[in-house]
């Protein structure tokens, strides 16, 4: 292992690779901050540059953009309640309340530390346990993926701050929105209402930007755009208290575990990992009522999770040649451009490229930490920009970001309509995060359910006969019963405290 890392360090630590690694993480962070753009669009735009670079240099740069965007997306989520990427939407739940409590510096510092630790754990697992993860992932087929999606949806209903019934309702709404478009099995259009632009379904970027960004702007404008002035603070003021650091240590490690697992599974990725990590922390916290009001655990766990998932997403791509996400598919395309076919033989056929890329993850992760902690004061300064300048800029960035994906004017109007929906949900105390996760998991749930029944020729026993699927479904049932029991206990306590 040490010899392999030495080979990788010799390949990655050249001046050219270090420069492009820095450029990648810096651009990824910057683009992640911009709402509606994200790593996918950035990699697509910069892919032609890789034609003129060495293979390792090209992949190092694209990888830096990918995991840099995962960190950058949380910055706008915390400061403006506007997730730069879909996986950072969960950071809005507790990060934005902390910013409103004049603790934006603390929130961003915890984000940087959690992202660094989560990414580091992901790199260690990629380095040491990559083959083990591949073996486990190969045992997952349609029934196991279906069971994981069920677990994710049940966990999603617990994210809601209020009624569990409202949380479940939002999951169902997300599932319904996820069925809009072409049926992947039959090619028949569903629930498109005769609108051709909906044939490919609702854009997840439009949904996230509308429910979080536009809804927040409408709410702020309605309240007159008033906010407390951002105080000047030093580096010491950004540091969490000793109690907060102790409270975040275990959630960071748990979040990295969730992220490492889900990141290595093709088709799940950082979004699923971050939501499930947040749900787990809230469900098993002794004080779940703090979540959604500025709980540091609500930032630490999902931020660690999505950065660990961003790293371990390379496991199936490098070792099996199977891209787990759309961004990984583009990076796989960059390999193909240079005549390299990722797969089980990559580690032995081109060890300098394989281990050089892994060492570049260490370097890029450290660069992210060194680069972003000094910039926290600059990010917090965004809060001092007057709203009359900030609103038009945010709306413009949202519209440009959404339009740039498919060059569709319809998507621009769609995000504005979804913004009105998100504002209505806010007035009625419905949680948009649960809707978003239902939307993400719904198509995967349907696809794997139908595929499993095709494999078993209509026998539902396939979900029980396979040990992994049965175990995950059992955990889902326990979580559901636990949620119902907690709800009943909370109701009895409320009734007992109510005066006669």
């Amino acid at each position: 292992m040490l010899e392999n890392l030495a080979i990788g360090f010799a390949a990655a630590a050249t001046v050219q690779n270090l420069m492009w690694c820095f450029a990648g993480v810096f651009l990824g962070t910057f683009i992640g901050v911009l709402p509606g753009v994200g790593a996918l669009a950035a990699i697509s735009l910069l892919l032609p540059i890789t034609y003129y670079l060495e293979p390792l240099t090209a992949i190092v740069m694209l990888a830096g953009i990918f995991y840099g965007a995962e960190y950058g997306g949380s910055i706008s989520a915390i400061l403006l309640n506007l997730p730069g990427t879909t996986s950072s939407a969960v950071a809005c739940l507790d990060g934005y309340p902390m910013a409103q409590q004049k603790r934006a510096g603390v929130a961003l510092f915890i984000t940087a530390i959690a992202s660094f630790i989560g990414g580091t754990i992901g790199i260690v697992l990629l380095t040491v346990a990559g083959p083990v993860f591949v073996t486990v992932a190969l045992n997952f087929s349609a029934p196991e993926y279906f069971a994981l999606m069920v677990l994710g949806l049940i966990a999603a209903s617990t994210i809601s701050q209020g009624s569990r019934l409202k949380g479940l309702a939002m999951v169902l709404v997300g599932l319904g929105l996820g069925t809009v478009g072409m049926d992947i099995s039959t090619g028949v259009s569903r629930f498109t209402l005769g609108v051709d632009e909906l044939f490919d379904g609702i854009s997840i970027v439009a949904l996230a930007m509308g429910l979080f960004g536009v809804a927040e702007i409408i709410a702020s404008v309605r309240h007159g755009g008033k906010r407390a002035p951002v105080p000047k603070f030093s580096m010491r003021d950004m540091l969490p208290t000793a109690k907060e650091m102790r409270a975040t240590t275990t959630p960071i490690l748990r979040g990295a575990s969730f992220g490492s697992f889900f990141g290595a599974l093709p088709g799940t990725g950082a979004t699923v990992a971050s939501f499930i990590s947040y749900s787990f922390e809230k469900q098993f916290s002794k004080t779940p009522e703090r979540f959604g009001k500025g709980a540091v655990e609500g930032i630490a766990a999902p931020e660690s999770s999505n950065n660990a998932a961003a790293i371990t997403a390379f496991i199936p791509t490098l070792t099996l040649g199977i891209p787990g996400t759309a961004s990984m598919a583009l990076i796989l395309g960059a390999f193909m451009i240079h005549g390299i076919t990722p797969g089980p033989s990559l580690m032995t056929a081109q060890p300098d490229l394989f281990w050089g890329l892994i060492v570049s993850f260490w370097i890029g992760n450290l660069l992210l930490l060194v680069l972003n902690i000094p910039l926290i004061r600059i990010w917090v300064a965004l809060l001092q920009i007057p709203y009359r300048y900030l609103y038009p800029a945010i709306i413009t960035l949202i519209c440009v970001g959404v339009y740039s994906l498919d060059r569709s004017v319809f998507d621009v109007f769609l995000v504005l309509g979804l913004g009105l929906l998100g504002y209505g949900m806010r007035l009625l105390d419905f949680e948009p995060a649960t809707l978003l996760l239902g939307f993400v998991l719904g198509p995967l749930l349907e696809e794997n359910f139908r595929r499993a029944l095709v494999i078993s020729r209509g026998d539902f026993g396939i979900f029980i006969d396979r040990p992994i699927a049965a175990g995950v479904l059992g955990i889902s049932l326990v979580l559901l019963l636990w949620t119902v029991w907690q709800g009943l206990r909370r109701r009895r306590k409320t009734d007992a405290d109510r005066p006669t």
Side-chain angles (χ1 to χ4, degrees):
M1 183 65 65
L2 293 177
E3 291 177 357
N4 290 330
L5 290 176
I7 293 173
F9 186 81
T14 64
V15 175
Q16 182 183 19
N17 289 335
L18 290 175
M19 289 176 55
W20 284 103
C21 182
F22 176 82
V25 296
F26 180 80
L27 286 174
T29 304
F30 177 74
I31 291 170
V33 174
L34 301 179
V37 182
L40 184 61
I43 293 174
S44 301
L45 292 173
L46 297 177
L47 191 60
I49 297 179
T50 63
Y51 297 163
Y52 309 102
L53 298 176
E54 295 294 325
L56 177 59
T57 306
I59 305 302
V60 163
M61 181 195 69
L62 295 179
I65 293 173
F66 177 63
Y67 55 79
E70 294 299 326
Y71 173 79
S74 303
I75 295 173
S76 57
I78 292 172
L79 298 182
L80 304 171
N81 201 30
L82 190 67
T85 61
T86 53
S87 60
S88 60
V90 71
C92 296
L93 301 180
D94 283 283
Y96 186 65
M98 287 186 69
Q100 291 179 313
Q101 298 164 11
K102 303 181 183 179
R103 300 170 63 212
V106 175
L108 291 173
F109 187 89
I110 291 175
T111 296
I113 297 299
S115 299
F116 175 76
I117 296 176
T120 301
I121 292 175
I123 297 169
V124 171
L125 291 176
L126 176 62
T127 305
V128 178
V132 178
F133 270 87
V134 172
T135 303
V136 174
L138 286 175
N139 291 325
F140 276 66
S141 61
E144 286 76 21
Y145 279 111
F146 170 78
L148 282 176
M149 299 306 109
V150 171
L151 175 61
L153 290 173
I154 292 176
S157 64
T158 68
I159 295 176
S160 178
Q161 302 302 320
S163 169
R164 292 288 192 271
L165 185 61
K166 288 184 176 181
L168 182 59
M170 285 297 96
V171 169
L172 296 177
V173 171
L175 288 172
L177 293 177
T179 61
V180 175
M182 182 182 66
D183 186 346
I184 58 174
S185 299
T186 63
V188 176
S189 61
R190 304 183 298 181
F191 310 113
T192 59
L193 305 177
V195 180
D196 293 340
E197 287 82 359
L198 289 177
F199 190 73
D200 291 330
I202 297 173
S203 168
I204 187 172
V205 174
L207 186 69
M209 293 300 101
L211 294 181
F212 290 94
V214 177
E216 173 62 27
I217 291 173
I218 295 173
S220 298
V221 170
R222 182 175 178 271
H223 291 95
K226 296 179 180 179
R227 57 181 170 181
V230 180
K232 294 182 179 180
F233 53 85
S234 63
M235 187 66 188
R236 184 185 299 272
D237 299 322
M238 303 178 197
L239 299 176
T241 63
K243 182 180 179 181
E244 289 174 332
M245 290 301 296
R246 288 194 298 270
T248 57
T249 301
T250 306
I252 287 175
L253 297 177
R254 279 196 294 258
S257 301
F258 280 112
S260 300
F261 176 72
F262 283 100
L265 295 177
T268 52
T271 302
V272 176
S274 59
F275 274 96
I276 290 182
S277 178
Y278 181 89
S279 175
F280 182 90
E281 294 301 325
K282 181 184 176 183
Q283 187 72 21
F284 292 96
S285 172
K286 296 180 180 179
T287 54
E289 64 277 1
R290 295 186 303 107
F291 283 73
K293 300 176 183 178
V296 290
E297 303 97 308
I299 299 177
E303 287 306 302
S304 174
S305 180
N306 66 23
N307 280 269
I311 297 296
T312 55
F314 283 88
I315 291 177
T317 304
L318 294 177
T319 58
L320 298 177
I322 301 174
T325 63
S327 299
M328 285 293 103
L330 286 177
I331 293 177
L332 182 63
F335 275 103
M336 301 298 186
I337 288 172
H338 291 277
I340 300 169
T341 303
S345 62
L346 179 65
M347 189 183 302
T348 55
Q350 294 184 316
D352 54 340
L353 188 144
F354 181 88
W355 293 105
L357 182 59
I358 290 179
V359 170
S360 77
F361 293 158
W362 289 100
I363 297 172
N365 204 34
L366 183 61
L367 285 175
L368 275 176
L369 183 67
V370 174
L371 179 66
N372 284 293
I373 286 183
L375 293 179
I376 288 177
R377 298 180 66 178
I378 297 177
W379 300 128
V380 174
L382 288 174
L383 295 176
Q384 297 176 325
I385 300 175
Y387 272 161
R388 62 181 180 274
Y389 302 131
L390 201 58
Y391 289 153
I394 292 174
I395 288 292
T396 301
L397 287 172
I398 290 175
C399 293
V400 170
V402 171
Y403 177 80
S404 65
L405 294 177
D406 295 316
R407 297 182 180 179
S408 171
V409 178
F410 176 81
D411 285 347
V412 177
F413 287 102
L414 180 63
V415 75
L416 297 178
L418 290 169
L420 294 174
L421 173 64
Y423 177 65
M425 290 167 51
R426 174 179 296 213
L427 293 178
L428 298 174
D429 293 327
F430 285 96
E431 184 61 63
T434 56
L435 187 152
L436 181 63
L437 189 59
F439 178 83
V440 171
L441 294 183
L444 296 173
L445 179 79
E446 179 188 12
E447 177 184 354
N448 287 288
F449 178 73
R450 295 168 72 172
R451 187 178 297 165
L453 291 181
V454 169
I455 295 172
S456 66
R457 298 182 179 182
D459 183 10
F460 288 89
I462 190 173
F463 300 108
I464 302 175
D465 296 338
R466 299 176 69 92
I468 297 178
V472 176
L473 288 175
I475 295 173
S476 303
L477 179 61
V478 171
L479 180 59
L480 182 61
L481 295 176
W482 173 269
T483 302
V484 172
W485 180 74
Q486 273 199 328
L488 293 175
R489 187 180 66 171
R490 190 178 297 111
R491 178 176 296 179
R492 285 197 298 266
K493 183 179 179 181
T494 302
D495 293 339
D497 295 340
R498 186 179 301 161
T500 304

